[in-house]
Amino acid sequence: MGRVFVAGSINMDVVATADRHPRVGETVAGREVLYFPGGKGANQAVAASRLGAKTTLIGRLGKDSFGAELRTFLGAQGIDLGAVRDADTHTGTAIITVAASDNTIVVIPGSNALVGADDVADVPLAKGDVAVSQFEIPLPTITAFFRRAREAGVVTVLNPAPAQKMSSELLALVDILVLNETELGFLAGSELSDSDEAARIIDVAQKLQARADQTICVTLGRRGVLALAGREEIAVPGRAVRAVDTTGAGDCFVGALAAQLADGAPVPAALAFANAAASISVQRMGAGPSMPTAAEVAAVL
């Protein structure tokens, strides 16, 4: 089995709940404050590790109490933190207000903004491994990471979220692109909505493909997953579950997909497994803490 290497963000999610959101300049009484380990990189690493993959996280933490708590939590998930370095700034933080099922989020990158090419320069990548990243660290760092991965014969998986334009060089380095329909539409320059038919989504995915052998995987929430693997179309039906908190569902999918690919699973089987894992994660609160185990996923497949 190969290893999963995740270069990405590590955040503390600070969640305040209230009956309603305050207006500008207003103070309202809250119900409770909750602290959840988060950040897309950390979430994806937790998902992969809990599903049995040997996982290394590459990133930065501040020298503060959040940094210490996150390092403890991530270590307890069995993740190799040898490539998580300290930074002379605060740990990445997301301030989230939840009221009447709606949320507002302010993300302060902090130490995540300092993850550079030197952080990925010495990672011991080998054929059979999987390299994963997302858009919460600087894009030049991801490019350097994936360039090294491709040279080593390592599969690259990119989750381009939060969506922003990327260079053609970076896109061409990606073996598997995992994104939702909104992100696909943004990157391809085509308007998409959650009501679009599969044929329309595949058509837009074809326009974005940078290489004939590139896989573009579109996660559609309760509608399941659509993927364009080279010229092959793959559809994974959604699973009907009672969602409690969808935070981190996409990250769970990416981590589960990477774990399966590192274990040698073919893409269609890996997509079905990842879809099942994500459906479990939405039935629990929090991002990192909601990631399922391999036994839990196996029980619903």
Side-chain angles (χ1 to χ4, degrees):
M1 183 176 184
R3 295 186 63 91
V4 173
F5 291 87
V6 182
S9 57
I10 312 171
N11 288 338
M12 180 63 80
D13 293 347
V14 183
V15 182
T17 65
D19 291 332
R20 65 177 179 84
H21 292 286
R23 300 182 183 91
V24 175
E26 181 187 22
T27 299
V28 300
R31 288 183 171 274
E32 60 182 340
V33 61
L34 305 165
Y35 299 88
F36 294 115
K40 296 186 74 62
N43 292 343
Q44 292 168 10
V46 170
S49 184
R50 284 194 179 174
L51 291 167
K54 293 182 179 179
T55 305
T56 295
L57 179 59
I58 305 152
R60 296 257 181 166
L61 286 170
K63 299 176 183 177
D64 51 19
S65 59
F66 282 169
E69 290 177 41
L70 287 165
R71 192 176 287 276
T72 297
F73 169 78
L74 293 167
Q77 311 309 307
I79 299 169
D80 174 11
L81 302 179
V84 175
R85 301 178 182 179
D86 290 333
D88 290 323
T89 185
H90 64 83
T91 296
T93 308
I95 308 297
I96 305 168
T97 303
V98 178
S101 299
D102 291 322
N103 62 34
T104 61
I105 306 175
V106 177
V107 178
I108 307 96
S111 53
N112 297 312
L114 300 180
V115 182
D118 57 327
D119 290 292
V120 301
D122 300 322
V123 180
L125 298 166
K127 191 173 180 62
D129 294 338
V130 179
V132 180
S133 198
Q134 356 60 38
F135 279 0
E136 289 186 338
I137 59 173
L139 268 60
T141 303
I142 302 171
T143 301
F145 180 46
F146 280 4
R147 191 182 298 120
R148 282 202 62 228
R150 293 277 297 174
E151 290 169 357
V154 170
V155 173
T156 57
V157 178
L158 178 65
N159 175 215
Q164 57 180 296
K165 293 297 184 181
M166 75 177 100
S167 68
S168 57
E169 178 192 6
L170 175 53
L171 181 58
L173 290 169
V174 177
D175 291 315
I176 302 177
L177 191 70
V178 181
L179 69 180
N180 61 31
E181 70 273 19
T182 303
E183 293 153 355
L184 172 63
F186 174 80
L187 291 174
S190 300
E191 193 72 26
L192 283 175
S193 71
D194 58 8
S195 62
D196 280 308
E197 297 294 327
R200 164 71 174 154
I201 294 170
I202 290 294
D203 181 60
V204 175
Q206 286 176 330
K207 294 176 182 176
L208 186 61
Q209 260 185 333
R211 307 195 318 263
D213 62 343
Q214 189 175 61
T215 295
I216 296 182
C217 172
V218 188
T219 57
L220 301 170
R222 68 185 64 187
R223 295 170 62 194
V225 180
L226 276 176
L228 181 66
R231 291 293 173 260
E232 179 188 0
E233 297 178 21
I234 303 168
V236 179
R239 299 187 67 251
V241 298
R242 181 178 176 276
V244 173
D245 182 5
T246 60
T247 306
D251 296 332
C252 179
F253 183 94
V254 172
L257 177 64
Q260 285 286 289
L261 294 172
D263 198 29
V267 170
L271 292 174
F273 184 95
N275 184 61
S279 75
I280 295 171
S281 75
V282 301
Q283 299 177 65
R284 304 167 177 170
M285 284 294 294
S290 72
M291 305 303 175
T293 64
E296 289 173 321
V297 179
V300 301
L301 283 175

